[in-house]
Amino acid sequence: MQGLFMTELTHLPIAKVALDVPLHRLFDYIVPTEGPIPQEGMRVRVSFGAHTKIGFIAGCSAQSDVPAHKLKPLMAILDEIPCISADILRLCCWAANYYHAPLGAVLAGALPARLRQGHALPEIKSDGVINTIQPLLGVGHELNHEQKVAVDHIVAALGQFRTFALDGITGSGKTEVYLQAIAIALQQDLQVLVLVPEIGLTPQMIARFTDRFAVPIVLLHSRLTEKQRLAHWLLAAEGSAHIVIGTRSSVWAVMPRLGLIIVDESHDGSYKQQDGVHYSARDVAVQRAYQNNIPVVLGSATHSLDTLYNVSEDRFTALFLHERAGKAKLGCFKVLDIRNERLQEGICTRLIKEIAKRMEKGEQSLLFLNRRGFSPILICHHCAWVAPCPHCDSYMTLHLSPERLHCHHCNTVQNKPRVCLSCNSDVLMPVGLGTERIEAVLKKAFPTTEILRIDKDTTRKKGSMEAYLQAIHDERYLILIGTQMLAKGHHFSNVTLVGIIDADSGLFSSEFRATEHLAQLIVQVAGRAGRAEKSGEIWIQTRNPEHPLLTTLLEKGYHAFAEGVLADRKQAQLPPYTYMAIIRVQGSKAEPLQAILTAAKQRIATEHSSTVRCLGPAPSPMEKRDKVYHYQLLLWSYQRAHLHEALAQLTQFFSTAKSARTLRWSVDVDPYDTF
Ligand code: ADP
Ligand code: ZN
Ligand code: ZN
């Protein structure tokens, strides 16, 4: 890692230390006159209150504002060389600023857990590398015209900052474009970072990388053991891993010769961290590319509206793949108007007939519903009592195998009551649909067929997802049922029917991004079907077949849909035309939460009334979760700079307000949802 150090600091007496604590400032410590000179990015051990903590040197200075007798010395400097490179430190400083998070929290999240906990930087071993260097290199396909244009643009931008939005449906050849652009970057001895939404779901993609390249490749994701993760991180940091494929947090991986970043399925919600520092790995990747002066490629079949807006503003360059590489066709859509239809527990008879037709031909059907369990509520037929969660403002979901009530928000599990707890009636009915219920209906309809259900409940065991995916490819199951997990990144060539059980919940949601997410899901799921020679059909169950957004999507495609939604957003003054942030607070009582948010709002009203608007304070969509109350204040502005000024002031307020000490608070800039 020798190449990455900051210029050495001279022996200044005060170290500015970033700590992972909810205070938005650095902390001063005395540098011992004996011993090593601290450098930016080195880890230190310090005493903080009654505890010792691991922190990071963010700088040194000649003096401190803290009175000398209150200053404590650094207990130890843990690194001989900085553990965070200069460019990552700079990126973390940007993120701390942009997301209004403590620098120490951003830095801690950027490192593997073992380094965060203060373990020594170990010797680097190469056993985490997938490939060893061998002369043989797999050859790529001959590119079609559009692919060639895309690769040429990306390669021409090596060494400068450009953001590309690579746009093409599943199977259009995006991965082939990545691979051939990466091949050129590797020839220039550059490192490449490839971000993917979830690694367990992309074994085929990883296989293509390892088949193609004779360079060391490492994976970085949460399913690794901490030891493996550290080893892989080190290989990237010392530069011996030429390609890093990883999930969200690998956007912070130290890579001294980084020359190209790819963000695959860049619209995917898993790039947004929803707790701790609320960052978007996609946006951090673009910022990293900017700071390092390198190109970044955002790939998707269904770009987020933010990305499409950036394309329309000429900030990003669009690259299109219209022709489908290979022989695959995109399936065609069928809308199933289920108004007045006979439903068998939520599935209409017509859909069951269609599944039967596919079965006769030995083809697979995939049914999609983004709700696990049997039914979302259990209701008393007599008095309408619904089994509530004791800890949340929510109801218990009924599960059948094993038969239990679950709260999906706090994981409380209860036995299913035999009688109504309000009127003692023994007629308790499940209402609404979950994946288990779909499975039960189809088992009844097709008693001799094996059905595979894939959701969080059936894939808890490590490796089970991989085994199921293999079983699908081996065509051991003709009927597949799944949640969102099954919608991502898989290519099932024998699936010729996709059923979307419930489109209406996405069409009518209070979340302003809900329609965007529904459209992305429909197109993604459609991409699962009809690969290879067989074309597929996508059947969508809805009570709103004439909904304009749905018809635009199905008749004119995602881009026309996106244009329509963007026009609506402009009209309604919603992002990306305005800038939004949410301040969330949690605590054991509701009143103090409301009080502090009201105080925060008053501050904005006095100083930013003309530039920043506030909505709230209001209870979060689910006010009580896991015994804790949640309140929020929504801020928005026509200008990003104004929003950030207000946020900076509010984080100062929360950092210093006495009443904030007993509650948890967080800032979510560019929220993915308003939950
Ligand atoms: P995407 O990443 O957009 O889903 P892929 O790059 O995986 O698309 O391409 C889909 C399939 O077509 C893959 O099997 C790939 O090997 C093949 N393919 C990609 N580009 C070409 C090409 N130019 N000629 C022939 N086959 C191709
Ligand atoms: Zn009752
Ligand atoms: Zn609960």
Side-chain angles (χ1 to χ4, degrees), residues 277-342:
V277 181
H278 288 61
Y279 67 91
S280 150
R282 178 199 66 199
D283 297 346
V284 174
V286 173
Q287 178 64 22
R288 184 168 183 180
Y290 167 73
Q291 292 188 349
N292 289 35
N293 217 17
I294 60 171
V296 53
V297 181
L298 311 181
S300 179
T302 51
H303 275 294
S304 88
L305 298 189
D306 304 330
T307 299
L308 294 179
Y309 175 69
N310 278 319
V311 168
S312 73
E313 295 285 291
D314 284 334
R315 280 192 286 268
F316 295 180
T317 307
L319 300 169
F320 290 101
L321 304 180
H322 296 102
E323 312 161 28
R324 230 185 177 191
K327 292 195 195 103
K329 299 184 212 81
L330 187 61
C332 71
F333 294 103
K334 306 268 184 187
V335 176
L336 265 175
D337 182 356
I338 54 171
R339 281 175 301 188
N340 310 315
E341 276 285 327
R342 249 199 62 188

Coordinates of all heavy atoms in Angstrom, one line a residue, residues 277-342:
V277 N -25.4 5.7 8.0 CA -25.2 6.8 7.0 C -26.1 6.4 5.8 O -25.9 5.4 5.2 CB -23.7 6.9 6.6 CG1 -23.6 8.0 5.6 CG2 -22.8 7.1 7.8
H278 N -27.1 7.3 5.5 CA -28.0 7.0 4.4 C -27.4 7.4 3.1 O -27.9 8.3 2.4 CB -29.3 7.8 4.7 CG -30.1 7.3 5.8 ND1 -29.7 7.2 7.1 CD2 -31.4 6.7 5.8 CE1 -30.6 6.7 7.9 NE2 -31.7 6.4 7.1
Y279 N -26.4 6.6 2.6 CA -25.8 7.0 1.3 C -26.4 6.2 0.2 O -26.9 5.1 0.4 CB -24.3 6.9 1.4 CG -23.8 5.5 1.5 CD1 -23.5 4.7 0.4 CD2 -23.6 4.9 2.7 CE1 -23.0 3.4 0.5 CE2 -23.1 3.6 2.9 CZ -22.8 2.9 1.7 OH -22.3 1.6 1.8
S280 N -26.2 6.7 -1.0 CA -26.5 5.9 -2.2 C -25.2 5.5 -2.9 O -24.4 6.4 -3.3 CB -27.4 6.8 -3.2 OG -27.1 6.4 -4.5
A281 N -25.0 4.2 -3.0 CA -23.7 3.8 -3.5 C -23.6 4.2 -5.0 O -22.5 4.5 -5.5 CB -23.5 2.3 -3.4
R282 N -24.7 4.3 -5.7 CA -24.7 4.8 -7.1 C -24.2 6.2 -7.1 O -23.2 6.5 -7.9 CB -26.1 4.7 -7.7 CG -26.1 5.2 -9.1 CD -27.6 5.5 -9.5 NE -28.1 6.6 -8.7 CZ -29.3 6.9 -8.6 NH1 -30.3 6.2 -9.1 NH2 -29.7 8.0 -7.9
D283 N -24.7 7.0 -6.3 CA -24.3 8.4 -6.3 C -22.9 8.6 -5.8 O -22.1 9.5 -6.3 CB -25.3 9.3 -5.5 CG -26.7 9.3 -6.1 OD1 -26.8 8.8 -7.3 OD2 -27.6 9.7 -5.5
V284 N -22.5 7.8 -4.8 CA -21.1 7.9 -4.3 C -20.1 7.4 -5.4 O -19.1 8.0 -5.6 CB -20.9 7.1 -3.0 CG1 -19.4 7.0 -2.6 CG2 -21.8 7.6 -1.9
A285 N -20.6 6.4 -6.2 CA -19.7 6.0 -7.3 C -19.5 7.1 -8.3 O -18.4 7.2 -8.8 CB -20.3 4.7 -7.9
V286 N -20.5 7.8 -8.6 CA -20.4 8.9 -9.5 C -19.4 10.0 -9.0 O -18.5 10.5 -9.7 CB -21.7 9.5 -9.9 CG1 -21.6 10.8 -10.8 CG2 -22.6 8.5 -10.7
Q287 N -19.6 10.3 -7.7 CA -18.7 11.3 -7.1 C -17.3 10.8 -7.0 O -16.3 11.5 -7.3 CB -19.2 11.5 -5.6 CG -18.3 12.5 -4.8 CD -18.3 13.9 -5.4 OE1 -19.2 14.3 -6.2 NE2 -17.3 14.7 -5.1
R288 N -17.1 9.5 -6.8 CA -15.7 8.9 -6.7 C -15.1 9.0 -8.1 O -13.9 9.4 -8.2 CB -15.8 7.4 -6.3 CG -14.4 6.8 -6.2 CD -14.5 5.5 -5.5 NE -13.1 5.0 -5.3 CZ -12.8 3.8 -4.7 NH1 -13.7 3.0 -4.2 NH2 -11.5 3.4 -4.6
A289 N -15.9 8.7 -9.1 CA -15.4 8.8 -10.5 C -15.0 10.3 -10.8 O -13.9 10.6 -11.4 CB -16.4 8.4 -11.5
Y290 N -15.8 11.2 -10.3 CA -15.5 12.6 -10.5 C -14.2 13.0 -9.8 O -13.3 13.6 -10.4 CB -16.7 13.5 -10.0 CG -16.4 14.9 -9.9 CD1 -16.2 15.7 -11.0 CD2 -16.2 15.5 -8.6 CE1 -15.9 17.1 -10.9 CE2 -15.9 16.8 -8.5 CZ -15.8 17.6 -9.6 OH -15.5 19.0 -9.5
Q291 N -14.0 12.6 -8.6 CA -12.8 13.0 -7.8 C -11.6 12.3 -8.4 O -10.5 12.9 -8.4 CB -13.0 12.6 -6.3 CG -14.1 13.4 -5.6 CD -14.1 13.2 -4.1 OE1 -13.5 12.3 -3.6 NE2 -14.8 14.0 -3.4
N292 N -11.7 11.1 -8.9 CA -10.6 10.4 -9.4 C -10.4 10.6 -10.9 O -9.4 10.0 -11.5 CB -10.7 8.9 -9.1 CG -10.6 8.5 -7.7 OD1 -11.0 9.3 -6.8 ND2 -10.0 7.4 -7.3
N293 N -11.3 11.4 -11.5 CA -11.1 11.7 -12.9 C -11.2 10.4 -13.8 O -10.3 10.2 -14.6 CB -9.9 12.5 -13.1 CG -10.1 13.5 -14.2 OD1 -11.2 13.8 -14.6 ND2 -9.0 14.0 -14.8
I294 N -12.1 9.6 -13.6 CA -12.3 8.3 -14.3 C -13.7 8.2 -14.8 O -14.6 8.8 -14.2 CB -11.9 7.1 -13.5 CG1 -12.8 7.0 -12.2 CG2 -10.4 7.2 -13.1 CD1 -12.6 5.7 -11.4
P295 N -14.0 7.3 -15.8 CA -15.4 7.1 -16.2 C -16.1 6.1 -15.3 O -15.5 5.3 -14.6 CB -15.2 6.5 -17.6 CG -13.9 5.9 -17.6 CD -13.0 6.6 -16.6
V296 N -17.5 6.3 -15.2 CA -18.3 5.4 -14.5 C -19.5 5.0 -15.4 O -20.0 5.9 -16.1 CB -18.8 6.0 -13.1 CG1 -19.4 7.4 -13.3 CG2 -19.8 5.1 -12.4
V297 N -19.8 3.7 -15.4 CA -20.9 3.3 -16.3 C -22.1 2.8 -15.4 O -21.9 1.9 -14.6 CB -20.5 2.1 -17.1 CG1 -21.6 1.6 -18.0 CG2 -19.3 2.5 -18.0
L298 N -23.3 3.4 -15.5 CA -24.4 3.0 -14.8 C -25.2 2.1 -15.8 O -25.7 2.6 -16.8 CB -25.3 4.2 -14.3 CG -24.6 5.3 -13.6 CD1 -25.6 6.4 -13.2 CD2 -23.9 4.7 -12.3
G299 N -25.4 0.9 -15.5 CA -26.1 0.0 -16.4 C -27.5 -0.3 -15.9 O -27.7 -0.5 -14.7
S300 N -28.5 -0.4 -16.8 CA -29.9 -0.8 -16.3 C -30.8 -0.9 -17.5 O -30.6 -0.3 -18.6 CB -30.5 0.3 -15.4 OG -31.8 -0.1 -15.0
A301 N -31.8 -1.8 -17.3 CA -32.9 -1.8 -18.3 C -33.9 -0.8 -18.0 O -34.8 -0.4 -18.8 CB -33.5 -3.2 -18.3
T302 N -33.9 -0.4 -16.7 CA -35.0 0.5 -16.2 C -34.3 1.6 -15.3 O -34.4 1.5 -14.1 CB -36.0 -0.3 -15.4 OG1 -35.2 -1.0 -14.4 CG2 -36.8 -1.2 -16.2
H303 N -33.6 2.5 -16.0 CA -32.9 3.5 -15.2 C -33.8 4.3 -14.3 O -35.0 4.5 -14.6 CB -32.2 4.5 -16.1 CG -30.9 4.0 -16.6 ND1 -29.8 3.8 -15.8 CD2 -30.4 3.6 -17.8 CE1 -28.8 3.3 -16.4 NE2 -29.1 3.2 -17.7
S304 N -33.2 4.6 -13.1 CA -34.0 5.4 -12.2 C -34.3 6.8 -12.9 O -33.6 7.2 -13.7 CB -33.3 5.6 -10.9 OG -32.5 6.8 -11.0
L305 N -35.4 7.4 -12.4 CA -35.8 8.7 -13.1 C -34.7 9.7 -12.8 O -34.6 10.6 -13.6 CB -37.2 9.1 -12.6 CG -38.3 8.1 -12.9 CD1 -39.6 8.8 -12.6 CD2 -38.3 7.7 -14.4
D306 N -34.0 9.6 -11.7 CA -32.9 10.5 -11.4 C -31.9 10.5 -12.5 O -31.4 11.5 -13.0 CB -32.3 10.2 -10.1 CG -33.2 10.2 -8.9 OD1 -34.2 10.9 -9.0 OD2 -33.0 9.4 -8.0
T307 N -31.5 9.2 -12.9 CA -30.5 9.0 -13.9 C -31.0 9.6 -15.2 O -30.3 10.3 -16.0 CB -30.1 7.5 -14.0 OG1 -29.6 7.1 -12.8 CG2 -29.1 7.3 -15.1
L308 N -32.3 9.3 -15.6 CA -32.8 9.7 -16.9 C -32.9 11.3 -16.9 O -32.6 11.9 -17.9 CB -34.2 9.1 -17.1 CG -34.2 7.6 -17.3 CD1 -35.6 7.1 -17.5 CD2 -33.3 7.2 -18.5
Y309 N -33.2 11.8 -15.8 CA -33.2 13.3 -15.7 C -31.8 13.9 -15.9 O -31.6 14.8 -16.7 CB -33.7 13.7 -14.3 CG -33.6 15.2 -14.1 CD1 -34.5 16.1 -14.8 CD2 -32.8 15.8 -13.1 CE1 -34.4 17.4 -14.6 CE2 -32.7 17.1 -12.9 CZ -33.5 18.0 -13.6 OH -33.5 19.3 -13.4
N310 N -30.8 13.2 -15.3 CA -29.4 13.7 -15.5 C -29.0 13.5 -17.0 O -28.2 14.3 -17.5 CB -28.4 12.9 -14.6 CG -28.4 13.5 -13.2 OD1 -28.3 14.7 -13.1 ND2 -28.4 12.6 -12.2
V311 N -29.5 12.5 -17.7 CA -29.2 12.3 -19.1 C -29.8 13.5 -19.9 O -29.2 14.1 -20.7 CB -29.7 11.0 -19.6 CG1 -29.7 11.0 -21.2 CG2 -28.9 9.8 -19.1
S312 N -31.1 13.8 -19.5 CA -31.8 14.9 -20.2 C -31.1 16.3 -20.0 O -31.2 17.2 -20.8 CB -33.3 14.9 -19.9 OG -33.4 15.5 -18.6
E313 N -30.4 16.4 -18.9 CA -29.7 17.6 -18.6 C -28.3 17.6 -19.1 O -27.5 18.5 -18.8 CB -29.7 17.9 -17.1 CG -31.0 18.1 -16.4 CD -31.6 19.5 -16.7 OE1 -31.0 20.4 -16.2 OE2 -32.6 19.5 -17.5
D314 N -27.9 16.5 -19.9 CA -26.6 16.4 -20.4 C -25.5 16.2 -19.4 O -24.3 16.4 -19.7 CB -26.2 17.6 -21.3 CG -26.9 17.5 -22.7 OD1 -27.2 16.4 -23.1 OD2 -27.2 18.5 -23.3
R315 N -25.8 15.9 -18.2 CA -24.8 15.6 -17.2 C -24.3 14.2 -17.4 O -23.1 13.9 -17.2 CB -25.3 15.7 -15.8 CG -25.3 17.2 -15.4 CD -25.6 17.3 -13.9 NE -27.0 17.0 -13.6 CZ -27.9 17.9 -13.5 NH1 -27.6 19.2 -13.7 NH2 -29.2 17.6 -13.2
F316 N -25.1 13.2 -17.8 CA -24.8 11.9 -18.1 C -24.9 11.6 -19.6 O -25.8 12.2 -20.3 CB -25.7 10.9 -17.4 CG -25.6 10.9 -15.9 CD1 -26.4 10.0 -15.1 CD2 -24.7 11.7 -15.2 CE1 -26.3 10.0 -13.7 CE2 -24.7 11.7 -13.8 CZ -25.5 10.9 -13.1
T317 N -24.1 10.7 -20.1 CA -24.2 10.3 -21.6 C -24.9 9.0 -21.7 O -24.5 8.0 -21.1 CB -22.8 10.2 -22.1 OG1 -22.0 11.3 -21.9 CG2 -22.8 9.9 -23.6
A318 N -26.0 9.0 -22.5 CA -26.8 7.8 -22.7 C -26.1 6.9 -23.8 O -25.7 7.4 -24.8 CB -28.2 8.1 -23.0
L319 N -26.1 5.6 -23.5 CA -25.6 4.7 -24.5 C -26.7 3.6 -24.6 O -27.1 3.0 -23.6 CB -24.3 4.0 -24.1 CG -23.1 4.9 -23.8 CD1 -22.0 4.1 -23.1 CD2 -22.6 5.5 -25.2
F320 N -27.2 3.4 -25.8 CA -28.4 2.5 -25.9 C -28.0 1.2 -26.6 O -27.2 1.1 -27.5 CB -29.5 3.2 -26.8 CG -30.1 4.3 -26.1 CD1 -29.7 5.6 -26.4 CD2 -31.1 4.1 -25.1 CE1 -30.3 6.7 -25.7 CE2 -31.7 5.2 -24.4 CZ -31.3 6.5 -24.7
L321 N -28.6 0.1 -26.1 CA -28.6 -1.2 -26.8 C -30.0 -1.6 -27.1 O -30.7 -2.0 -26.2 CB -27.9 -2.2 -25.9 CG -26.5 -1.9 -25.3 CD1 -26.0 -3.1 -24.5 CD2 -25.5 -1.7 -26.5
H322 N -30.4 -1.3 -28.3 CA -31.8 -1.7 -28.7 C -31.9 -3.1 -29.2 O -32.9 -3.8 -28.9 CB -32.3 -0.7 -29.7 CG -32.4 0.7 -29.3 ND1 -31.5 1.7 -29.6 CD2 -33.3 1.3 -28.5 CE1 -31.8 2.8 -29.1 NE2 -32.9 2.7 -28.4
E323 N -31.0 -3.5 -30.1 CA -31.1 -4.8 -30.6 C -30.8 -5.8 -29.5 O -30.0 -5.6 -28.7 CB -30.0 -5.0 -31.7 CG -29.8 -3.9 -32.7 CD -28.5 -4.0 -33.4 OE1 -27.9 -5.1 -33.5 OE2 -28.0 -2.9 -33.8
R324 N -31.5 -6.9 -29.5 CA -31.3 -7.8 -28.5 C -30.2 -8.8 -29.0 O -30.3 -9.4 -30.1 CB -32.5 -8.6 -28.2 CG -32.7 -8.7 -26.7 CD -33.8 -9.5 -26.2 NE -33.8 -9.5 -24.8 CZ -34.5 -10.3 -24.0 NH1 -35.3 -11.2 -24.6 NH2 -34.5 -10.2 -22.7
A325 N -29.1 -8.8 -28.3 CA -28.0 -9.7 -28.7 C -28.5 -11.2 -28.6 O -29.4 -11.5 -27.8 CB -26.8 -9.5 -27.7
G326 N -27.9 -12.0 -29.4 CA -28.4 -13.4 -29.4 C -29.8 -13.4 -30.0 O -30.3 -12.5 -30.7
K327 N -30.6 -14.5 -29.6 CA -31.9 -14.7 -30.3 C -33.1 -14.3 -29.5 O -34.2 -14.4 -29.9 CB -32.0 -16.2 -30.7 CG -31.0 -16.6 -31.7 CD -31.5 -18.0 -32.3 CE -30.4 -18.7 -33.1 NZ -29.7 -19.7 -32.3
A328 N -32.8 -13.9 -28.2 CA -34.0 -13.7 -27.3 C -34.9 -12.6 -27.7 O -34.5 -11.6 -28.3 CB -33.4 -13.5 -25.9
K329 N -36.1 -12.8 -27.4 CA -37.1 -11.7 -27.6 C -37.7 -11.3 -26.2 O -37.7 -12.1 -25.3 CB -38.3 -12.2 -28.4 CG -37.9 -12.7 -29.8 CD -39.2 -13.1 -30.5 CE -39.0 -14.2 -31.5 NZ -39.0 -15.6 -30.9
L330 N -38.1 -10.0 -26.2 CA -38.8 -9.6 -24.9 C -40.2 -10.1 -25.0 O -40.8 -10.1 -26.0 CB -38.7 -8.1 -24.8 CG -39.3 -7.5 -23.5 CD1 -38.4 -8.0 -22.3 CD2 -39.3 -6.0 -23.5
G331 N -40.6 -10.7 -23.8 CA -41.9 -11.2 -23.8 C -43.0 -10.2 -24.0 O -42.8 -9.0 -24.0
C332 N -44.2 -10.6 -24.3 CA -45.3 -9.7 -24.5 C -46.2 -9.6 -23.3 O -46.4 -10.6 -22.6 CB -46.0 -9.9 -25.8 SG -47.1 -11.3 -25.7
F333 N -46.8 -8.5 -23.1 CA -47.7 -8.2 -21.9 C -49.1 -8.6 -22.1 O -49.7 -8.3 -23.2 CB -47.5 -6.8 -21.5 CG -46.2 -6.4 -21.0 CD1 -45.3 -5.7 -21.8 CD2 -45.7 -6.8 -19.8 CE1 -44.0 -5.3 -21.4 CE2 -44.5 -6.4 -19.3 CZ -43.6 -5.7 -20.2
K334 N -49.8 -9.1 -21.1 CA -51.2 -9.4 -21.2 C -51.8 -8.8 -19.9 O -51.3 -9.2 -18.8 CB -51.5 -10.9 -21.2 CG -50.8 -11.6 -22.3 CD -51.6 -11.7 -23.5 CE -50.9 -12.6 -24.5 NZ -51.7 -12.6 -25.8
V335 N -52.8 -8.0 -20.0 CA -53.4 -7.4 -18.8 C -54.6 -8.3 -18.4 O -55.5 -8.5 -19.3 CB -53.7 -6.0 -19.0 CG1 -54.5 -5.4 -17.8 CG2 -52.5 -5.1 -19.3
L336 N -54.6 -8.7 -17.2 CA -55.8 -9.5 -16.7 C -56.6 -8.6 -15.9 O -56.3 -8.3 -14.7 CB -55.2 -10.7 -15.9 CG -55.0 -12.0 -16.5 CD1 -54.4 -13.0 -15.6 CD2 -56.3 -12.6 -17.1
D337 N -57.8 -8.2 -16.5 CA -58.7 -7.4 -15.7 C -59.4 -8.3 -14.7 O -60.3 -9.1 -15.1 CB -59.7 -6.7 -16.7 CG -60.6 -5.8 -16.0 OD1 -60.6 -5.8 -14.7 OD2 -61.4 -5.2 -16.6
I338 N -59.1 -8.2 -13.4 CA -59.7 -9.2 -12.5 C -61.0 -8.6 -11.8 O -61.5 -9.2 -10.9 CB -58.7 -9.6 -11.4 CG1 -58.1 -8.4 -10.7 CG2 -57.7 -10.5 -12.0 CD1 -57.2 -8.9 -9.5
R339 N -61.4 -7.4 -12.3 CA -62.7 -6.9 -11.8 C -63.8 -7.9 -12.1 O -63.8 -8.4 -13.3 CB -63.1 -5.6 -12.4 CG -62.3 -4.4 -11.7 CD -62.6 -3.1 -12.5 NE -62.3 -3.3 -13.9 CZ -62.3 -2.3 -14.7 NH1 -62.6 -1.1 -14.3 NH2 -61.9 -2.4 -16.0
N340 N -64.6 -8.3 -11.2 CA -65.7 -9.2 -11.4 C -65.3 -10.6 -11.8 O -66.1 -11.5 -12.2 CB -66.7 -8.7 -12.5 CG -67.1 -7.3 -12.2 OD1 -67.4 -7.0 -11.0 ND2 -67.1 -6.4 -13.2
E341 N -64.0 -10.9 -11.8 CA -63.5 -12.2 -12.2 C -63.6 -13.2 -11.0 O -63.5 -12.7 -9.8 CB -62.0 -12.2 -12.6 CG -61.8 -11.8 -14.0 CD -62.1 -13.0 -15.0 OE1 -61.9 -14.1 -14.6 OE2 -62.6 -12.7 -16.1
R342 N -63.8 -14.5 -11.3 CA -63.8 -15.4 -10.2 C -62.3 -15.6 -9.8 O -61.5 -16.0 -10.6 CB -64.4 -16.7 -10.6 CG -65.7 -16.9 -9.9 CD -66.1 -18.4 -9.9 NE -65.1 -19.2 -9.2 CZ -65.1 -20.5 -9.2 NH1 -66.1 -21.2 -9.9 NH2 -64.3 -21.2 -8.5

